[in-house]
Amino acid sequence: MATVDTESRRVPLIQLDIPLERDLFLRNLIRELSGVLEDIVGLKEASGFISIVGQNMGNQMDLDYKKALGVSRLTRAQVADVLVDLKGRIKGDFYIVEQNDNRIVLGNRACPFAAEVVGRPSMCMMTSNVFGMIASQSLGYAKVTLEETIARGDRGCRVVIHLQPGAESEAAPGQEYFQS
Amino acid sequence: MDDKSLENLLPEPLLLLSSEGRVLDMNQAARKAFGGLDNGSKLHDLVNEPAKLEASIRLWVRSGEFLRGLVVVTSVAGERYITYGARLWVDRSSPAQVIVRCYVESAANRRFVEITRRVNALNREIACRQQAENQLFAEKELAQVTLNSIGDGVITTDIEGRVNYLNPVAEALTGWSADEARGLQLIEVFRLFNEQTREPVENPLGHVLVHGNTVGLANHTMLRHRDGTEFAIEDSAAPIRDREGRLIGGVMVFHDVTHARRLAAKVSYQASHDGLTGLLNRRAFEQRLHSLLDAPVGVDGSHSLMFLDLDQFKVVNDTCGHLAGDALLRMLGPVLQKHLRQSDLLARLGGDEFGVLLQDCSVSAATRIARALKEELENLNFTWEGKPFRVGLSIGQVNFTDNSWSLADLLSAADNACYLAKENGRNRIHLYSMDDQALAHRFRQTQWVGRIRDAFEENRFCLHSQTIVTTASASSARPDQEGGHFELLLRLLDTDGKLVEPMAFIPAAERYSLMVSIDQWVLETAFAKLARAGSNCVSTCSINLSGASLGDEGFLTFIYSCFERFAVSPRVICFEITETEAIANLSKARHIIQTLKALGCRFSLDDFGSGMSSFGYLKNLPVDYLKIDGTFIKNLASDPIDRAMVAAINNIGHVMGLKTIAEFVESASVLQELGELGVDYVQGYGIARPEPLETYLANLKKGDYHQPQPGLH
């Protein structure tokens, strides 16, 4: 067993209080990657890169949920539930604030990236793209507005998913997603 | 896309793709970058990894925001573009379309390209400048080498007159090296002064820097070398201007003319001074006198001119030789000079004659000086090889106070006064008076009487002959066939062996009634020589007759006797009488002409035209030839009036059945004119020079007729 000499005694390394475990390691990895990206290519470009990653992951999750539910398309209610569920699976704490044919509003109390997300708004593109992908593929259109984000320093997140292209969605900031 | 649409204004390529990646449309920049990519073709052709393009298109179809594609597109020029695509939303029912924007691979790459472009531009600029600098350097080198090589001194200064540059010649002439002189004021380095006053002269570059124009150096400018050596220099100073014409400095160009100036001074000295005594020569003396006469009359403009003639000089020369004579003459300069004032001029006029000009000198002072000169020479002890000689001075003095005198009159007056001083017993001063001119003239003529008589006694007269030819034969250089035609010319062989022209002694002979004797001597001598030579080779012998002979009662008798005594045909004899003498003795002249013509002699009217009263008399003088006065002939080719006169005389002569003769023919142009005018005969130096009669006759006998002068031009 690996040990280390201290002043008077030998202590096993496994017993050392080191903040390192896989989940934390991966979150830190993503935080560092996004930090470097933001520093080098700028926030906008970094957001673009993460968007691609988010889209790919969202696409995979969309396929996984449809397969698991045995449907080719999700209903609006299913979409809302899937979004809350998938976030819960990765230690997020999302909840449905409201939903109707025009929009789904979700709240969040905990970020899956935990404290590592603070100061890294590009990482929010993961949420935007995953939500936008799943919603648009089943409902035809989605525009995701991140009204509040823990990454930007808000206490929690508030995410609005516009489901109809129109005056309301156009007036709102955010990214649009389309059915492929 | 519409050509005028905004998309076409975008610098980056823009593509509209279908969801299969097929190009639906593109902007101008895309057409330019992706040449060959037409509408309908697939973007896959431009990428290396089509799978990634498919993935990218899938992303773009879903995204309303531009997302970076996973592939790069390469342009025909090899440039790599990154892609950003997004879904072009129309409505739910429309097929999916994707807008793709293409950017040069990275901002860094763009910057690199831009920097490279700028670096290349800068390199080109640097290369141009380098080339210009090289060229400038080469030109500067060339200018430097040129300036270093030329024989002139060159100094350049800035606008303040501080030295910038000296070339090697300037360094040598000033004694300053370029390094030492740089920054110094030019006047410290280039020290000029006037050769004559020795005063510093204004540096011309100062003028140039103030006025900006080129100036030459003043005459007699000298340059003082740093070590004190002096150089005579010449040349100029000029401004230096920049391209805009602004004055930025000056250049001084100069060269050493010390040698040339010395040479010029020497030549000038030699031209104005007598080589033996070092005194002024006659030419310079007369020039000074001329200047004095030309100058405005001053308040006390009283001057005196003296001609000095050394008595007994001939004795020194004859007994001791020319060396002794030269020594005496050399000695005289300083001896005479010490009695003259600073401003007086002493010159050797020739031989043993000297001239003195006392300018602004009162009569009393002039008289005192003349006496002092005479007394000085009386007391002069000149010895040669132990042999003492006494010499004296005959002085002719003319005091004059105004410039009404001509130079010739003044010289003649002094000459005559000096002549009279000698005639009056030598070693004396003769002050000019109004009567002197005639007196001296008479003295001289009287003197000639003795000389003419001596010449008779010593048989020192001689005859020369000058050939006369037809104008045609003179032009074609063919000898006349009819025999020798010539004029007899009288000469006197002086005691010193020189030939004296008749004009020197004829006036005296006329005045003292010696002309008849001279004419008779000429006739006798000529007839004797013609008879001896045999007159069949002579066609015409022209003999001048004086007015005195025309009026002499016994003249015809004398001529008859000549024909009797000598075997000479009257037909070869032609008497020449002058127009003026014939008219003066008209009746006797007519008689003589008629009588002698009856014998077969011919007559020629000499110097025709000079009297200008003679046309009317021509009818009364039955002559055979008109000899046109030489004064009309000399300038015939250039003077239209002379030409008209000659034409008139020639025409009248021909109308009257006379032959015309032109004398003083000295050039081919005159000969040509005479030929054109139709004058019959020509005579002059251009045809043949006079030669002793014996020689001429001997040549005639040998059949060697006149030979036209080959040098006639």
Side-chain angles (χ1 to χ4, degrees), chain A residues 86-150:
Chain A
L86 73 89
K87 281 292 184 183
R89 289 177 188 264
I90 55 172
K91 297 192 179 174
D93 186 13
F94 276 73
Y95 56 95
I96 297 168
V97 177
E98 65 166 271
Q99 63 169 302
N100 53 46
D101 286 342
N102 287 328
R103 64 182 192 169
I104 299 170
V105 182
L106 298 175
N108 176 36
R109 290 175 288 258
C111 180
F113 295 113
E116 281 72 27
V117 80
V118 178
R120 293 286 185 276
S122 61
M123 287 168 72
C124 297
M125 286 298 108
M126 282 299 296
T127 301
S128 173
N129 276 275
V130 169
F131 284 11
M133 270 304 298
I134 292 171
S136 67
Q137 292 307 310
S138 289
L139 304 176
Y141 173 80
K143 181 167 184 176
V144 180
T145 303
L146 302 172
E147 288 185 345
E148 292 173 13
T149 65
I150 294 168

Side-chain angles (χ1 to χ4, degrees), chain B residues 50-88:
Chain B
K52 284 192 175 177
L53 177 63
E54 293 283 0
S56 299
I57 292 171
R58 275 199 303 277
L59 282 170
W60 297 333
V61 163
R62 293 176 197 143
S63 177
E65 289 295 316
F66 278 94
L67 290 181
R68 183 164 181 163
L70 304 172
V71 289
V72 293
V73 182
T74 306
S75 75
V76 286
E79 195 145 42
R80 288 158 63 85
Y81 289 85
I82 54 174
T83 51
Y84 288 84
R87 170 78 172 262
L88 180 67

Side-chain angles (χ1 to χ4, degrees), chain B residues 560-573:
Chain B
Y560 286 144
S561 75
C562 285
F563 280 121
E564 284 169 8
R565 285 188 286 144
F566 303 104
V568 173
S569 164
R571 296 188 180 282
V572 302
I573 301 298

